[in-house]
């Protein structure tokens, strides 16, 4: 107890000497410094790497189908299993990060994705393929949310949304150029060798994560509080409690709804329905591939752009609502333009991805609406809803469309997308804006010891003469 009290009342040097800081937390880290960028960059590489494996499934699945003697339906089922396993694990990944931090969870996540890549390379039956999908989904559920969690822990709160947007931007660039790069590689190596290569890269990432990724050090008061805590609640009950707390927060639910319909529509159009609509207009497969790439390039631009605009205007709600409404207009144009507009469709698809960047404000609002200990849980909820909606918007129109759909058939089946986007924008109007609260918190003067000099809200130097209550 003496060391705890010393940590709670001592200075920075006392905190560094605390055994908990040395053993559990490691040496003191600088928020926003060079080490923060190194850890964030490594986690972003992890996201780009796993996105490349996910994108590569569309390219290597025909080869896997031939080698394992599978049907198209089985290949599609395996892809669906990955989507739903990912969405299920997603809700728990954020809560686990909130409880245990990035070390060692992210290294374990990289190990799962690495094992999934090696399992892919060994696929010779449906059972092996499903096992690979599930293992990959478990590890991938920590990727995007983990990178956002690192941005929230290692950088000032004001940069949380921007850092999350940069992660999405780099991941989108990886998706845009991943398929062409993998297709080119398959001309020189077998699909087994390619996937083993991804697995070998994962082994390198595991070593780097174990050696370099740390949790940022807490202050002396937080460390003393953690040390004095008698026990933690059971793991499952604490995860469910954290998720329940986030789900009871109106801002988290509304921002998840807005982000879900925005990213879900972009995912469904960019991965599946956009190229199919182009083919119904008579475009070739090469133009359809360009269309897919343009959507991800648009998202790469829009993801950080909307956060920058939101910070500049000091408003979260209006940029998010306007972006989703513009996305609804772009999706409508893509669906209902006449046949003689293939070149215009390419630009329109870029706009679909560009305005879908507004969905990143859902992560920002959710993270700013909960305590710091629940940032990971809020991000996991938003990301999980995004993929659930994306999966539904790929599956439901497929049930409605006939076997050989025309352009008019697509217009009827995909009408739900612009409708959902408008409803998501309406949900955004009821979001309580968090940007002004964030700025007010930054401007609020920090309490100082009695008799010391501080600054008030206007920046003037004042002397604190009375005792401050805790």
């Amino acid at each position: 107890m003496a060391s705890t009290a010393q940590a709670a009342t001592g200075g920075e040097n006392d905190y560094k000497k605390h055994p908990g800081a040395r053993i559990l937390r490691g040496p003191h880290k600088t928020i926003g410094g060079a080490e923060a960028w190194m850890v964030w960059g490594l986690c972003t590489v992890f996201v780009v790497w796993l996105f490349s494996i996910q994108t590569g499934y569309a390219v290597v699945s025909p080869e896997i189908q031939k080698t394992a003697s599978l049907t198209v339906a089985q290949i599609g089922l395996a892809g669906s299993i990955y989507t739903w396993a990912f969405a299920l694990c997603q809700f728990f990944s954020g809560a686990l990060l909130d409880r245990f931090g990035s070390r060692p969870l992210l290294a374990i996540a990289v190990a799962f994705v690495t094992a999934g890549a090696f399992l892919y390379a060994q696929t010779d039956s449906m059972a092996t393929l499903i096992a690979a999908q599930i293992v990959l989904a478990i590890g991938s559920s920590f990727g995007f949310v983990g990178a956002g969690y690192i941005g929230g822990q290692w950088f000032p709160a004001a940069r949380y949304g921007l850092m999350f947007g940069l992660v999405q931007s780099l991941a989108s660039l990886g998706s845009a150029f991943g398929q062409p790069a993998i297709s080119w590689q398959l001309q020189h190596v077998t699909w087994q060798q390619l996937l083993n290569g991804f697995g070998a890269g994962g082994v390198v990432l595991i070593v780097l994560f174990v050696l370099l990724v740390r949790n940022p050090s807490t202050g002396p008061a937080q460390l003393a509080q953690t040390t004095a805590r008698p026990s933690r609640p059971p793991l499952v009950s604490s995860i469910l409690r954290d998720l329940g707390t986030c789900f009871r927060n109106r801002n988290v639910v509304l921002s998840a709804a807005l982000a879900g319909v925005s990213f879900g529509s972009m995912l469904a159009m960019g991965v599946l329905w956009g190229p199919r609509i182009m083919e119904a207009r008579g475009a070739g497969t090469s133009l359809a591939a360009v269309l897919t790439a343009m959507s991800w390039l648009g998202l790469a631009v829009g993801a950080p752009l909307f956060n920058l605009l939101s910070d500049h205007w000091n408003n979260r709600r209006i940029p998010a609502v306007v972006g989703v409404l513009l996305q609804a207009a772009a999706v409508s144009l893509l669906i209902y333009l006449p046949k003689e507009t293939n070149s215009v469709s390419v630009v329109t698809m870029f706009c679909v991805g560009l305005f879908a960047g507004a969905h990143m404000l859902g992560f920002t609002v959710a993270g700013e609406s909960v305590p710091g200990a629940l940032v990971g849980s809020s991000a996991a909820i938003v990301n999980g809803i995004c993929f659930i909606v994306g999966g539904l918007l790929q599956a439901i129109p497929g049930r409605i469309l006939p076997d050989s759909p025309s352009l008019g058939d697509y217009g009827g089946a995909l009408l739900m997308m612009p409708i959902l986007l408008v409803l998501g924008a309406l949900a955004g109007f009821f979001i309580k804006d968090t940007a002004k609260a964030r700025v007010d918190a930054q401007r609020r003067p920090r309490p100082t010891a009695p008799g010391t000099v501080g600054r008030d809200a206007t920046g003037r130097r004042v002397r604190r003469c009375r005792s401050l209550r805790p």
Side-chain angles (χ1 to χ4, degrees):
M1 296 298 295
S3 60
T4 301
Q6 184 181 7
T9 59
E12 181 67 27
N13 293 331
D14 294 333
Y15 167 59
K16 291 181 180 180
K17 297 177 182 179
H18 193 283
R22 294 198 309 267
I23 299 174
L24 298 178
R25 297 287 183 174
H28 188 267
K29 312 295 192 302
T30 303
I31 300 299
E35 187 172 13
W37 282 101
M38 179 190 66
V39 174
W40 178 86
L42 193 57
C43 293
T44 304
V45 170
F46 171 40
V47 175
V48 175
W49 170 70
L50 71 87
F51 266 54
S52 299
I53 297 176
Q54 295 171 350
T55 305
Y57 180 72
V59 180
V60 302
S61 58
E63 301 295 331
I64 295 177
Q65 179 182 343
K66 294 177 183 178
T67 303
S69 300
L70 304 176
T71 64
V72 176
Q74 288 176 312
I75 292 294
L77 176 61
S80 299
I81 289 175
Y82 170 84
T83 301
W84 298 116
F86 176 87
L88 177 63
C89 297
Q90 185 71 96
F91 289 109
F92 295 94
S93 62
L96 288 171
L97 285 168
D98 286 332
R99 181 177 176 111
F100 297 107
S102 57
R103 174 183 172 86
L105 282 180
L106 291 182
I108 296 174
V110 177
F112 268 93
V113 179
T114 302
F118 283 125
L119 275 175
Y120 264 137
Q122 306 301 320
T123 298
D124 56 1
S125 65
M126 184 64 176
T128 308
L129 182 58
I130 291 177
Q133 294 280 28
I134 294 175
V135 172
L136 182 62
I138 294 173
S140 298
S141 66
F142 288 87
F144 186 67
V145 170
Y149 175 86
I150 290 294
Q153 295 295 316
W154 276 97
F155 291 90
R159 297 170 66 180
Y160 171 71
L162 176 61
M163 302 308 296
F164 222 153
L166 289 175
V167 173
Q168 179 65 75
S169 178
L170 293 173
S172 300
L173 288 175
S175 298
F177 297 105
Q179 284 191 357
I182 292 174
S183 299
W184 176 79
Q185 284 290 327
L186 287 177
Q187 298 176 4
H188 302 84
V189 297
T190 65
W191 66 270
Q192 292 96 337
Q193 292 173 330
L194 178 65
L195 290 174
N196 281 324
F198 275 114
V203 174
V204 176
L205 278 178
I206 293 172
V207 175
L208 292 176
F209 267 72
V210 170
L211 294 178
L212 301 178
V213 173
R214 296 288 189 275
N215 298 317
S217 295
T218 55
Q222 291 86 348
L223 181 61
Q225 181 181 3
T226 302
T227 306
R229 187 180 300 165
S231 62
R232 288 181 172 181
L235 178 60
V236 176
S237 62
S238 66
I239 290 177
L240 295 178
R241 180 200 60 198
D242 292 347
L243 290 175
T245 302
C246 290
F247 273 115
R248 287 192 298 270
N249 188 304
R250 186 188 69 174
N251 259 20
V252 174
V253 174
L254 292 175
S255 60
L258 181 143
V261 297
S262 178
F263 181 79
S265 298
M266 187 273 159
L267 185 67
M269 293 298 293
V271 173
L272 182 58
W273 300 123
R276 297 293 178 89
I277 293 174
M278 292 295 290
E279 292 172 0
R281 287 198 174 100
T285 55
S286 59
L287 184 56
V290 170
L291 188 72
T292 301
M294 292 302 292
S295 66
W296 291 109
L297 287 175
L299 183 59
V301 176
L305 176 63
F306 274 90
N307 271 297
L308 288 172
L309 292 175
S310 174
D311 290 338
H312 179 71
W313 292 330
N314 192 27
N315 191 293
R316 303 280 187 240
R317 182 171 56 242
I318 299 303
V321 170
V322 172
V324 173
L325 289 176
L326 290 174
Q327 184 185 358
V331 169
S332 300
L333 287 174
L334 186 68
I335 297 173
Y336 299 109
L337 281 175
K339 287 188 176 181
E340 297 78 15
T341 54
N342 287 341
S343 59
V344 177
S345 296
V346 175
V347 178
T348 306
M349 195 61 192
F350 177 85
C351 292
V352 170
L354 175 68
F355 297 130
H359 87 276
M360 293 304 302
L361 291 176
F363 291 95
T364 306
V365 171
E368 292 175 346
S369 302
V370 298
L374 298 178
V375 169
S377 298
S378 67
I381 288 174
V382 175
N383 203 42
I385 297 297
C386 287
F387 275 87
I388 289 175
V389 175
L392 292 174
L393 290 179
Q394 293 180 62
I396 294 176
R399 295 281 186 175
I400 301 174
L401 289 169
D403 294 335
S404 299
S406 63
L407 187 59
D409 294 326
Y410 283 112
L414 300 179
L415 177 62
M416 65 180 69
M417 286 192 189
I419 292 177
L420 284 176
L421 286 167
V422 172
L423 293 176
L426 290 177
F429 278 111
F430 296 94
I431 291 176
K432 182 180 180 181
D433 203 305
T434 56
K436 294 180 180 180
R438 172 184 59 84
V439 173
D440 292 341
Q442 291 175 342
R443 292 176 177 175
R444 189 179 299 120
R446 294 182 177 182
T448 56
T452 60
V453 176
R455 293 183 183 273
D456 62 8
T458 63
R460 294 178 301 178
R461 292 168 60 88
V462 295
R463 180 172 296 279
R464 312 291 184 185
C465 299
R466 292 180 295 179
S467 300
L468 298 176
R469 294 184 179 182

